[in-house]
Amino acid sequence: MKTSFTTSIAAVAKLAIGTFVLAILLRTWLEMGLVEPVTVAGSSMAPTLLGPHASVQCERCQNGFDVGAEFAAVADEAECPQCGFQKNSLAELPVNRGDRLLIDRTAFTYRIPERWEPVVFASPMEEGGLVVKRVVGLPGETIQLRDGELWTNGRLAKKPLATQRTLRSLVHKETAAANRWRGSGWTWRNNSWNCESETDWQWLSYEHPGKKPITDDSAHNAGLTRRLFEVRDLCLSMRLQTTGNGDFAIRMNADEKVLEIKLNPSAGTLEYLAGEKILSRKELSTEALRNLQNREVQLELSFCDQQLLVAIEGRVEFIQEKVAEVEFHDPRPLFSVGARNLSVTLCDLQVYRDIYYASREESQGFKEPMVPVTLGERDIFVLGDNVPISLDSRHWGPLPLRFLVGRPLGVR
């Protein structure tokens, strides 16, 4: 006990000293102008960064979500992004201040920004103003936005898992009040789907409301009238726990094929199938195998940028390139999960969509695609995360590097 008490005192003292030193450093950086505090004033980077906004609690499922203040002021109601309830009143909601952030003015002293990195720069349109956007095009590259995707030098730009997580938007989270998954052999209890499967497969399928396509609509932009785009880059995330020696599978529709990822937790294998044909088989990493066999794990599967990705506890276990888009115009379910000879518990079952990079030409309904833009050796191309309302390089062209001010600290 004495050793434990001494260790606790040392840990607290170490934390206190570290906090004190950090506070001194931060104050010094602020006084030197190396770090600058600012308040986000607009919604062009939502939901990554929020400007003034109203916080809404869904009347049906009690989920909380935000609506930009400029939209809450003119719209009467907002649709919940979790359960789809459309009658959430926006009347007389208080407006919250925009996010506070710190700008690291030294971030690009010795380097240029990386793709997908958020940056702060002097506004090309407003003297003295500062703007936050995300870098998508680098010096010397040829950039094109087509069918919601980013193309660089004629190749599709592929987002790593961390970037996918940052830019994706929630389509649905399964709860008792917002229930879209259906299947025989599965029961809903304790806020999770449970299955005790035997020799036959037991399937649980996602049903999107009205079997309509998923679009790039956003609750943050409530009431905004614009052209909506169908989004086929999707992600499925869940907490998974299994017991037994059988298989767990996820099925997706792509063109006219049913693609499937099959996991065998006891054997530590992952198979990728098209129909009944096994296209790829691999051994899971030692870490993934240990986690699957001993505890609940986060399992993510994404169709994004024409690649299929599977991750367990944030570690990418499988990537398949050049995968066809998910197909919605089909009587079969969009996603299904199944179990055979396995006891399964699924919770935090969530469907996400990827960001849709609409060009100005697409947004205005032109048939001609965006004309590719070749950047100069000292130019970058930037876009806002809230694509439908963002003013960015689609409107005022490439951004010269000399406009850069720094990087927002703590923002991905």
Side-chain angles (χ1 to χ4, degrees):
M1 291 296 294
K2 184 175 181 180
T3 302
S4 177
F5 179 76
T6 303
T7 302
S8 298
I9 291 292
V12 171
K14 185 176 180 180
L15 177 61
I17 292 171
T19 303
F20 177 75
V21 171
L22 180 60
I24 293 296
L25 285 173
L26 183 57
R27 180 175 179 178
T28 301
W29 292 338
L30 286 169
E31 291 177 350
M32 294 175 63
L34 301 180
V35 174
E36 178 182 354
V38 296
T39 301
V40 179
S43 296
S44 70
M45 281 293 288
T48 307
L49 292 170
L50 299 181
H53 60 280
S55 296
V56 185
Q57 185 174 41
C58 179
E59 297 175 18
R60 176 191 288 172
C61 71
Q62 307 305 308
N63 169 57
F65 62 96
D66 299 308
V67 174
E70 63 268 52
F71 303 108
V74 296
D76 297 324
E77 298 170 329
E79 179 178 344
C80 173
Q82 176 168 291
C83 74
F85 182 67
Q86 299 178 346
K87 300 294 183 179
N88 292 292
S89 175
L90 298 177
E92 300 180 359
L93 290 177
V95 174
N96 304 308
R97 186 180 68 177
D99 290 342
R100 295 278 291 174
L101 56 86
L102 296 174
I103 304 173
D104 178 6
R105 287 181 169 269
T106 68
F108 305 120
T109 303
Y110 300 108
R111 70 175 180 90
I112 63 172
E114 299 176 355
R115 195 181 328 278
W116 314 121
E117 188 172 14
V119 294
V120 181
F121 53 90
S123 172
M125 307 295 290
E126 178 186 353
E127 186 175 353
L130 294 178
V131 183
V132 184
K133 303 292 179 187
R134 191 175 300 278
V135 176
V136 299
L138 303 177
E141 290 184 333
T142 297
I143 302 299
Q144 186 181 35
L145 304 178
R146 190 171 74 243
D147 298 326
E149 307 281 19
L150 168 68
W151 297 78
T152 63
N153 297 331
R155 295 184 177 182
L156 183 61
K158 301 182 185 296
K159 306 178 196 71
L161 177 61
T163 302
Q164 291 184 30
R165 287 174 167 177
T166 297
L167 296 180
R168 69 192 186 188
S169 295
L170 182 66
V171 173
H172 175 71
K173 179 178 179 179
E174 189 79 343
T175 67
N179 191 288
R180 295 182 185 172
W181 291 78
R182 304 284 187 272
S184 61
W186 292 79
T187 58
W188 177 264
R189 64 176 183 271
N190 300 324
N191 292 317
S192 62
W193 281 106
N194 300 268
C195 181
E196 302 288 340
S197 63
E198 297 182 352
T199 55
D200 294 330
W201 281 99
Q202 302 293 328
W203 292 99
L204 182 70
S205 301
Y206 175 76
E207 296 181 0
H208 199 59
K211 296 186 178 180
K212 296 179 180 179
I214 293 170
T215 72
D216 66 338
D217 200 7
S218 168
H220 195 87
N221 303 337
L224 178 65
T225 301
R226 65 176 181 89
R227 180 186 178 188
L228 297 179
F229 295 96
E230 182 178 339
V231 182
R232 297 188 175 188
D233 283 7
L234 303 175
C235 172
L236 181 63
S237 175
M238 68 193 77
R239 301 294 303 178
L240 167 69
Q241 188 162 20
T242 64
T243 304
N245 298 318
D247 300 306
F248 176 79
I250 303 175
R251 283 181 175 174
M252 306 75 59
N253 287 331
D255 289 339
E256 297 181 355
K257 298 179 181 178
V258 175
L259 301 182
E260 182 175 315
I261 292 292
K262 185 185 296 182
L263 292 171
N264 188 303
S266 61
T269 58
L270 180 153
E271 293 179 344
Y272 170 54
L273 302 89
E276 299 296 324
K277 183 179 181 180
I278 299 176
L279 303 180
S280 178
R281 187 178 188 276
K282 67 163 294 184
E283 304 291 324
L284 294 173
S285 67
T286 302
E287 182 180 358
L289 178 58
R290 182 173 62 249
N291 288 333
L292 272 173
Q293 293 179 345
N294 293 288
R295 64 185 183 90
E296 179 183 275
V297 299
Q298 182 184 23
L299 175 64
E300 294 171 278
L301 178 144
S302 74
F303 272 106
C304 190
D305 306 324
Q306 296 182 11
Q307 64 180 1
L308 173 62
L309 178 152
V310 179
I312 298 176
E313 287 295 300
R315 177 192 174 103
V316 176
E317 294 289 330
F318 176 78
I319 293 181
Q320 177 66 40
E321 301 287 351
K322 298 182 179 179
V323 177
E325 293 178 321
V326 177
E327 179 60 55
F328 295 88
H329 309 297
D330 192 290
R332 296 169 298 186
L334 180 63
F335 284 115
S336 297
V337 296
R340 179 179 63 181
N341 290 324
L342 206 62
S343 174
V344 177
T345 299
L346 296 177
C347 60
D348 289 338
L349 193 53
Q350 300 175 75
V351 177
Y352 292 90
R353 67 163 178 84
D354 188 24
I355 193 169
Y356 190 95
Y357 283 128
S359 66
R360 292 186 67 186
E361 290 79 0
E362 272 190 297
S363 298
Q364 295 172 9
F366 296 153
K367 293 183 179 180
E368 297 77 13
M370 169 185 170
V371 176
V373 176
T374 299
L375 306 179
E377 293 302 319
R378 299 293 297 172
D379 292 336
I380 54 177
F381 201 91
V382 296
L383 297 173
D385 290 354
N386 192 353
V387 179
I389 69 166
S390 176
L391 294 177
D392 44 42
S393 288
R394 294 172 299 168
H395 304 84
W396 28 255
L399 180 76
L401 287 174
R402 68 176 184 275
F403 280 58
L404 286 179
V405 172
R407 191 194 194 286
L409 288 172
V411 180
R412 289 189 173 184

